[in-house]
């Protein structure tokens, strides 16, 4: 995939499909994770792929590692997709979204600032 805008457009399409119920939330989430993985470590300096990789990787892992919680995980996927469509393109809102999802919701440890 070439460039940040193409990456973001592909992620938007998958998130919108999830909200529209076009396919299984898990399948669409897995595709978002694959898109982010394909752009690692950042397309054209766009760091969104790093955080999107963490978010969608954790959400798909949730289904794979705890299949009895699939409904709960997929509800989170739908919420994450809807929120992404609301904030995407607003740099400050994206930072807040990533911080909340990566750390507050999914529990990744915050790194201490470098001295």
């Amino acid at each position: 995939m070439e460039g940040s805008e193409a990456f973001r457009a592909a992620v938007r399409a998958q998130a919108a499909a999830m909200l529209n119920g076009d396919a299984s939330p898990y399948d669409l989430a897995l595709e978002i994770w694959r898109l982010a993985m394909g752009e690692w470590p950042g397309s054209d300096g766009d760091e969104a792929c790093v955080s999107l990789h963490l978010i969608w990787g954790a959400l798909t892992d949730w289904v794979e590692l705890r299949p009895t919680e699939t409904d709960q995980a997929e509800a989170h996927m739908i919420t994450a997709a809807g929120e992404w469509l609301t904030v995407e393109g607003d740099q400050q809102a994206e930072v807040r979204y990533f911080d909340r999802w990566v750390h507050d919701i999914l529990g990744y440890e915050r790194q201490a600032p470098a001295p």
Side-chain angles (χ1 to χ4, degrees), residues 26-47:
Y26 170 80
D27 291 340
L28 295 166
L30 192 57
E31 183 57 28
I32 294 172
W33 176 81
R34 286 182 184 136
L35 288 165
M37 190 65 177
E39 293 300 305
W40 192 274
S43 175
D44 294 342
D46 187 347
E47 295 297 323

Side-chain angles (χ1 to χ4, degrees), residues 78-98:
I78 293 166
T79 299
E83 289 179 9
W84 175 248
L85 291 173
T86 300
V87 304
E88 195 263 335
D90 178 335
Q91 189 174 19
Q92 291 178 346
E94 286 183 17
V95 168
R96 290 187 301 271
Y97 170 87
F98 293 140

Side-chain angles (χ1 to χ4, degrees), residues 59-76:
L59 291 171
T60 55
D61 283 354
W62 187 357
V63 171
E64 294 163 9
L65 298 173
R66 296 187 305 256
T68 60
E69 297 176 16
T70 295
D71 289 345
Q72 185 180 0
E74 288 186 339
H76 272 69

